[in-house]
């Protein structure tokens, strides 16, 4: 069986199956009783992916519109060099 290290999308049924697998495991040291926490975690991770995508698109647009890396970095709470290192690869696509 092939698995991925970090699945990007799980359905509610798949999350429930994971919870059930933990709950049915012979070792009682780890039991998940609230699948709501996993559902919220999955939703938060999806929101983070969406936010990262929006940030990348906005940074690329700002750079193409003439904003310097220092200005972009300031808007994101990072240095000019940090912004350039993070987003320059997008410019060269």
């Amino acid at each position: 069986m092939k698995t991925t290290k970090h699945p990007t999308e799980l359905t509610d049924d798949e999350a429930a199956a994971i919870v059930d697998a933990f709950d049915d495991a012979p070792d009682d040291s780890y039991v998940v009783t609230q699948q709501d926490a996993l559902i919220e975690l999955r939703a938060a991770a999806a929101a983070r992916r969406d936010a990262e995508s929006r940030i990348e698109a906005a940074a690329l647009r700002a750079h193409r519109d003439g904003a310097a890396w220092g200005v972009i970095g300031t808007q994101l709470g990072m240095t000019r060099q940090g912004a350039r290192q993070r987003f320059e690869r997008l410019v060269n696509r």
Side-chain angles (χ1 to χ4, degrees), residues 54-67 72 90-91:
R54 288 181 61 201
I55 289 169
E56 286 183 356
L60 179 59
R61 181 175 176 203
H63 182 72
R64 287 185 176 158
D65 287 350
I72 294 168
L90 300 174
V91 173

Side-chain angles (χ1 to χ4, degrees), residues 40-93:
E40 177 61 26
L41 184 60
R42 189 172 68 252
R48 181 178 63 189
R49 286 190 302 275
D50 291 344
E52 289 295 329
S53 180
R54 288 181 61 201
I55 289 169
E56 286 183 356
L60 179 59
R61 181 175 176 203
H63 182 72
R64 287 185 176 158
D65 287 350
W69 290 121
V71 172
I72 294 168
T74 298
Q75 296 301 306
L76 296 171
M78 60 176 44
T79 65
R80 171 199 57 80
Q81 183 177 358
R84 184 186 58 76
Q85 288 175 345
R86 180 173 175 187
F87 301 113
E88 189 172 46
R89 65 180 168 73
L90 300 174
V91 173
N92 298 325
R93 281 189 187 171

Side-chain angles (χ1 to χ4, degrees), residues 7 10-42:
L10 288 175
T11 65
D12 290 341
D13 290 339
E14 290 169 329
I18 291 169
V19 171
D20 291 341
F22 276 110
D23 289 346
D24 293 341
D27 182 0
D28 290 336
S29 65
Y30 186 83
V31 176
V32 177
T33 58
Q34 298 290 329
Q35 64 177 311
D36 291 347
L38 294 180
I39 291 169
E40 177 61 26
L41 184 60
R42 189 172 68 252

Side-chain angles (χ1 to χ4, degrees), residues 1-4 18:
M1 178 172 118
K2 182 177 178 174
T3 61
T4 59
I18 291 169

